[in-house]
Amino acid sequence: MFRTVVDANETVKLLDVSARNSRAAARTLMRTLAIQLQRAAIKRSTGPKSAAAGAYPIPRRTGTHVRGFAMELSDRSAIVFNANIYARSLHDGFKPYGNPHARPIPARPYFDDAMEKDLDVDAALAAADKVLGEGA
């Protein structure tokens, strides 16, 4: 026969620490991924100033596009965005209408490429694991 004795008070203490640390770990995970994404998107948005129009990485001429990057964090989500009015046109491309002489803007998917190629999920998970381990 095998018998296990569990101390309820100790279990409650461990669960309380675990609950507090899991919230901090989730926030650390979201924050780490958001920072990585923002840095990678900025890197893909700072090509040489002398590059031709439509080049990718996006030529950095004035810095306005790069200054538009920001993020919002919560315990369960992270939002990385660019608040400039033309950010979506740079990302998705744009075909002008109403002006037959205007040149289309080619798509330069800096957010998509950053998500697919530059995120280090293992590093973000390691940072979250470290936070979880601090409460044990």
Side-chain angles (χ1 to χ4, degrees), residues 4-121:
T4 303
V5 178
V6 177
D7 180 1
N9 291 330
E10 192 63 30
T11 303
V12 168
K13 286 179 191 175
L14 289 172
L15 288 174
D16 183 49
V17 168
S18 176
R20 280 184 274 140
N21 285 347
S22 65
R23 175 173 252 163
R27 187 166 177 83
T28 298
L29 177 66
M30 292 291 105
R31 182 177 181 274
T32 304
L33 289 172
I35 289 170
Q36 286 182 16
L37 178 60
Q38 184 179 24
R39 286 180 179 165
I42 288 171
K43 184 177 180 183
R44 292 178 177 280
S45 297
T46 54
K49 186 176 184 177
S50 62
Y56 188 57
I58 300 166
R60 183 176 183 175
R61 294 193 177 25
T62 64
T64 303
H65 179 64
V66 172
R67 285 192 301 271
F69 283 98
M71 69 176 84
E72 294 177 2
L73 297 171
S74 72
D75 291 341
R76 296 178 183 217
S77 67
I79 301 170
V80 179
F81 59 94
N82 189 308
N84 284 321
I85 194 165
Y86 56 83
R88 184 171 183 172
S89 295
L90 286 174
H91 187 274
D92 297 341
F94 180 77
K95 186 169 183 169
Y97 52 91
N99 182 351
H101 304 292
R103 290 182 22 198
I105 298 170
R108 292 165 282 179
Y110 50 91
F111 272 126
D112 294 345
D113 290 346
M115 286 282 292
E116 293 173 8
K117 300 173 184 171
D118 298 325
L119 284 185
D120 186 356
V121 177

